[in-house]
Amino acid sequence: MMGQLPGGQHRLFYSFNLEDHVPAQHLLRSIDQCLDLSDLRSYLADFYSPIGRPSVDPELMVRMLIVGYCYGIRSERRLCEEAHLNLAYRWFCRLGLEDEVPNHSTFSKKRHGRFRDSDLFRWLFNEVLRRCMAAGLVKGEGVAVDASVIKADASKQRGIARDEVDWSNAALSSRAVREYLEALDDEALAETLPKKVSLSDPQSRWTAAPGGPAFFAYSTNYLIDTEHGVIVDVEATPAHRTAEVDSTRTMIDRAEAQFDLTPARLIGDTAYGTAPMLAWMVEEKNIEPHVPVWDKTERKDDSFSSNDFRWHPEADEYRCPADKPLRNGWRIVSQQRSKVTKDNTIIYRSSRGDCDTCPLKSKCCSNTPTRKIARSIHEAARDVARRVSNTPQYIVSRCERKKVEMLFAHLKRITKLDRIRLRGLSGATDEFTIAALVQNLRRMAKLLPQGPPHTG
């Protein structure tokens, strides 16, 4: 028999419990078990006035932001609409059926005001990470690092040569431009400033790193624990390789200072295999580098590469395949000079007399009178990385490094963070930090559906 909608007079009273309409296996239920915001109000107390009109509850706004980043709702206007209509979102945000959802403009005011001044999102990230550590999801022995390029909210049509911009023009006095001008005093940023900048977001970097047409972008850098793929730290940088590699030091030092995490090994790709970076890992941090060595001396023809020459540390010289020495000085000079070049290398050269009569000259230095080898002052650390690359654990590390790439894939495809909405390096930091803490919450919710143990 064909049914029909009930007609007649509607009921005057309804018995409705929001708790009963959220499925037991819903993702937000598991995330709610892992989230503890009991200290949020006390953390923000100094940034609110004790008198005046009450503001929107900061816990409500944080919970709404978590919902947005969890389900890829990038627009704050749409987030408010979804929180108004979706029962599960209302339940997670502690809103009743008749409670009013905040206006979308409130998020912009809080982001650029109290939330940024208090560094709230970094505090939230640390609190979530502490719960991960209390639950045993962070082993702390092996960490992996990588960076992913995220498009900035800047059009390439607004790009212009840096020297042609009149920064005193009042029309360019936006928040992103003011942050850019303030950061010019930062030597680390000034060293990576490109020739082309965006008038909309000058701190973004013009890059074609992913392949294809160039665009303005930032990089999100992840440091993850390889045991369960928990993000130990996150750092936003301009999309520049030097800045990405340098962020590794910042993240490892910060994790050590705040959580006493000292990893035994670090896993990364070739970009992290530069000589200074390997020396920092081996000599300063005592970290085993599971990183390919950045080496451009390998020759593609059948001639001898630097690896074909044997190093003799006792004599401070190389030996060529013909067992002839290469030294950093053949003459005795009265005034000693520094032998280190501006590239932090020491040049070792062979004797011309040895090379002229050598039968292997055609495979060694056919176009030059003698052979020379540039040895890095950090070559000992490079040798450590080469020895590690021959171990079985290194093969395992190559597979563990993919966990970082999986997080980046989730970040762009599920969280929809393939283009940031906030401008400036501070805006990129906010977005990347929130996204990372939400990914950690999802990981906890998957591995610990009943929630982690209480840390207090």
Side-chain angles (χ1 to χ4, degrees), residues 22 86 92 103 138 149 183 189 275 281 363 397 413 440:
V22 181
N86 193 299
F92 181 78
N103 188 276
V138 178
V149 177
L189 178 61
M281 283 189 273
K363 294 189 62 177
S397 299
R413 300 187 63 181
N440 280 347

Side-chain angles (χ1 to χ4, degrees), residues 132-354:
C132 291
M133 295 173 65
L137 300 183
V138 178
K139 195 172 182 180
E141 293 184 1
V143 295
V145 64
D146 205 353
S148 183
V149 177
I150 307 292
K151 292 182 179 179
D153 185 24
S155 172
K156 63 180 180 180
Q157 282 77 19
R158 293 275 289 169
I160 191 172
R162 184 183 60 183
D163 299 335
E164 299 177 5
V165 184
D166 181 15
W167 297 112
S168 62
N169 187 352
L172 299 178
S173 183
S174 64
R175 180 184 292 107
V177 170
R178 290 196 299 270
E179 290 183 6
Y180 168 77
L181 295 177
E182 292 172 359
L184 285 179
D185 296 333
D186 188 347
E187 296 181 359
L189 178 61
E191 292 177 357
T192 61
L193 289 178
K195 294 181 179 180
K196 186 174 183 180
V197 297
S198 168
L199 298 180
S200 303
D201 190 353
Q203 286 184 296
S204 61
R205 181 76 183 214
W206 181 254
T207 180
F215 53 89
F216 291 104
Y218 288 96
S219 290
T220 177
N221 300 268
Y222 277 5
L223 182 72
I224 74 162
D225 186 85
T226 57
E227 182 70 13
H228 293 286
V230 173
I231 303 171
V232 175
D233 207 339
V234 56
E235 182 76 6
T237 62
H240 186 266
R241 178 169 292 176
T242 301
E244 294 170 358
V245 174
D246 290 342
S247 69
T248 306
R249 307 187 185 193
T250 301
M251 292 188 290
I252 289 180
D253 288 340
R254 188 161 51 200
E256 182 179 358
Q258 295 182 348
F259 304 102
D260 196 26
L261 285 176
T262 54
R265 65 183 187 277
L266 186 142
I267 307 167
D269 56 25
T270 310
Y272 302 89
T274 60
M277 187 64 188
L278 291 174
W280 178 81
M281 283 189 273
V282 174
E283 299 170 4
E284 294 188 28
K285 291 297 181 179
N286 196 25
I287 297 176
E288 192 175 77
H290 287 237
V291 179
V293 178
W294 181 285
D295 191 356
K296 294 184 177 181
T297 63
E298 188 70 25
R299 298 190 176 184
K300 298 181 180 180
D301 53 16
D302 60 348
S303 60
F304 296 133
S305 299
S306 298
N307 295 333
D308 297 318
F309 292 72
R310 302 187 311 276
W311 170 246
H312 291 261
E314 304 83 6
D316 189 24
E317 66 182 21
Y318 279 97
R319 285 280 174 170
C320 71
D323 201 30
K324 301 297 182 181
L326 283 78
R327 297 170 182 167
N328 57 36
W330 288 90
R331 294 180 300 176
I332 299 176
V333 295
S334 58
Q335 185 176 2
Q336 294 292 332
R337 293 178 297 176
S338 175
K339 299 177 181 179
V340 181
T341 66
K342 63 179 181 179
D343 296 325
N344 288 327
T345 60
I346 299 176
I347 305 300
Y348 290 80
R349 293 181 174 87
S350 60
S351 169
R352 184 163 185 172
D354 292 336

